[in-house]
Amino acid sequence: MPHPDDANADFDTVWRWVTLERGRAARAAAVAQRHEEQSARATEPMRAHHMRFATRYRQIEQRHLAAARLQAMHAVRLQKWAQNSDGGLKPVFMAAVAAILGMDGAAVTVFGRLHTPAMVATSDPTAQAAHDLEFVLGEGPTTDATASGSLVVAAGPAVRDRWPQYGAAVAELGVLAVVATPLTLPTVCLGALCGFDSRPSLADGVAASADEVADALTHTVLLSSGATDGIPRVPLFDEADYQAVVHQAVGMVSVQCDCTIDDALAMLRARSFADGRPIAEIAEQIVAGSVRLD
């Protein structure tokens, strides 16, 4: 069980990230304001030039402010846990993400070369189970969001209508509404942010909030893979489940069964579904040599 002193140390680290992100937002705002002021005095051709830069830096400002809000909420939760610890689990960063979204749970999935999850971070066991179900069944909000490159929203009966197997399965977990949005850079989709809720409808503003949070996660959290300005890396990476074992198992099955990588992944998913066990658990057994799929 983590000690409250550990949470205090984490609080200090996270709050330094809050300060860093707020400073970045302030610098972006200053640049935007300068271009706005120059636009007001510029000739017509240059006015459009300055406004493009102003708009761009306002977007960067909002991105860093959103990241600061995420980190600040996580820091506050850590501090409360340290002060009033009753033996409960230490708050995780993704729980703060879910709270900012206004949803019960959330998951971030980053994909590897085979479009299998290379990194997964979740807010709670229900979010983890919902992610596992989608990976095993091959359908769901994260799958659609990354394939289309656009926001996916479904609530109530629409969840089962859109994904018959996944919708029925997550309903058994108590998930009645989902939202997913891709984590995108200009030339690549890294993965997706997905939110889960037990209510059969989504509140106004959830979609816009999901896009804002995904943008902040992509450009500030996920790209901050190491220390910055002497600050240790952000908490998401320490809490994430890096699923290299799945990639390794898929490669081993491909060799053992003399099949393609896609076929090996399909076999792994089928075994997970048939056994009713997490795919990572079966992958670990394959790598350890205690299970073969041929």
Side-chain angles (χ1 to χ4, degrees), residues 79-95:
Q79 189 176 52
K80 287 182 179 179
W81 183 87
Q83 293 172 346
N84 305 295
S85 179
D86 57 359
L89 295 176
K90 187 175 75 171
V92 297
F93 177 71
M94 286 304 298

Side-chain angles (χ1 to χ4, degrees), residues 7 21 38-39 79 85 102 114-115 120 141 161 188 214 226 241 266 287 292:
E21 294 295 350
Q38 291 174 339
S39 174
Q79 189 176 52
S85 179
L114 307 177
H115 202 68
V120 179
D161 291 344
V188 66
D241 174 16
V287 172
R292 288 178 65 95

Side-chain angles (χ1 to χ4, degrees), residues 11 14-15 18 65-80 89-108 121-124 127 193-196 209-210 212-214 216-217 221 234-236 239:
F11 171 85
V14 174
W15 202 257
V18 173
L65 287 175
R69 287 194 295 273
L70 289 170
Q71 302 287 0
M73 178 167 286
H74 183 48
V76 168
R77 286 166 172 250
L78 284 170
Q79 189 176 52
K80 287 182 179 179
L89 295 176
K90 187 175 75 171
V92 297
F93 177 71
M94 286 304 298
V97 172
I100 290 288
L101 291 176
M103 304 188 75
D104 296 334
V108 160
T122 59
S123 59
D124 59 274
L193 164 68
C194 193
F196 310 97
S209 178
E212 182 181 70
V213 170
L217 288 173
V221 178
V234 290
L236 175 63
E239 298 162 359

